[in-house]
Amino acid sequence: MGFYDDRIVPHIVKIACGGKEVDPHRERVCAGLTGEVVEVGFGSGLNVPFYPAAVTRVAAVEPSDVGWRLGAENLARATVPIERSGLDGQSLPFEDDSFDSAISTFTLCTIPDGLGALKELRRVLKPGGMLHFVEHGRAPEEKVRSWQDRLNPIQKVVAGGCNLNRDIPQLVTDAGFRMADLDQFYAKGVPRFGGALSLGAATA
Ligand SMILES: C[S@@+](CC[C@H](N)C(=O)[O-])C[C@H]1O[C@@H](n2cnc3c(N)ncnc32)[C@H](O)[C@@H]1O
């Protein structure tokens, strides 16, 4: 990883994903998380304030040391134990059937093998465990999609490998999850090519 991706992108992500306008999406996606939770792409812990009381422990998977350090304030305020437990969502260092819930927010766009990471999450979730996600990705309209395809190579360079055009719900079901709940909408105040959100929950 180069200097820009390693040192600069985590700061950009904290600002871009840490706005107050994102909080309602974080609150919605965290609702219903229970028990032992694995969070993939933990970043700077922007979901921590929204973990419900039913969460007992969080295993954070995050490759970026800078991102993890930027989360110090959120970690200090956490009311549940949170441990940095892995570095790569594509290869989770956990036994099968270990967790009650999993969460991914704005991360499946960036993990190089998004499908592989989802398969890993399904493997480590107990049968019936729930994956909660909010992700940007492939837009419903063809016109927006064509812009996403055109802009994707630039986005990948400037945004740490982030893809604009992944079909997140399709990847979730391709990984073997059963979709339990899905809301697709455009985030307010964000250009449509980057703001086509999928917020949902799926059963392992
Ligand atoms: C756009 S940020 C989102 C951070 C956080 N989830 C949030 O909602 O603010 C994408 C995150 O995915 C992480 N990431 C990149 N590659 C990863 C991988 N292979 N496994 C797990 N996380 C990864 C990045 O370091 C970064 O923290």
Side-chain angles (χ1 to χ4, degrees):
M1 202 187 272
F3 179 84
Y4 176 77
D5 284 346
D6 192 22
R7 302 293 171 91
I8 308 296
V9 168
H11 291 271
I12 295 173
V13 166
K14 191 176 180 193
I15 294 164
C17 296
K20 285 286 156 224
E21 65 288 351
V22 189
D23 284 356
H25 307 318
R26 296 191 185 279
E27 190 167 10
R28 270 182 78 191
V29 76
C30 287
L33 291 172
T34 57
E36 307 221 344
V37 175
V38 53
E39 175 158 1
V40 69
F42 183 84
S44 56
L46 293 169
N47 293 320
V48 172
F50 302 100
Y51 293 153
V55 172
T56 54
R57 180 177 78 86
V58 176
V61 178
E62 174 52 53
S64 167
D65 292 339
V66 174
W68 179 255
R69 281 202 296 275
L70 288 172
E73 214 174 293
N74 285 322
L75 289 168
R77 288 196 197 135
T79 54
V80 287
I82 301 172
E83 196 176 341
R84 191 178 181 193
S85 310
L87 300 175
D88 186 0
Q90 300 161 125
S91 174
L92 295 174
F94 310 121
E95 301 287 319
D96 296 359
D97 307 343
S98 305
F99 292 92
D100 302 293
S101 313
I103 179 165
S104 172
T105 64
F106 309 109
T107 290
L108 293 171
C109 52
T110 298
I111 296 180
D113 180 5
L115 178 61
L118 282 160
K119 286 180 177 169
E120 276 292 87
L121 287 174
R122 184 159 174 264
R123 179 184 67 76
V124 302
L125 276 169
K126 295 173 185 170
M130 297 295 287
L131 165 68
H132 293 222
F133 60 91
V134 60
E135 302 284 347
H136 71 86
R138 189 168 161 82
E141 286 96 359
E142 186 49 47
K143 198 174 157 194
V144 183
R145 283 184 202 170
S146 69
W147 273 107
Q148 291 181 317
D149 292 340
R150 261 178 265 173
L151 294 172
N152 203 53
I154 302 166
Q155 172 80 1
K156 282 181 82 166
V157 172
V158 298
C162 170
N163 290 272
L164 292 168
N165 54 3
R166 286 190 177 167
D167 186 337
I168 300 298
Q170 186 67 53
L171 286 175
V172 169
T173 51
D174 285 352
F177 284 96
R178 192 167 46 80
M179 198 64 77
D181 191 21
L182 178 63
D183 187 14
Q184 294 189 283
F185 55 95
Y186 287 109
K188 287 196 186 115
V190 180
R192 290 193 157 199
F193 65 81
L197 301 190
S198 297
L199 190 157
T203 313

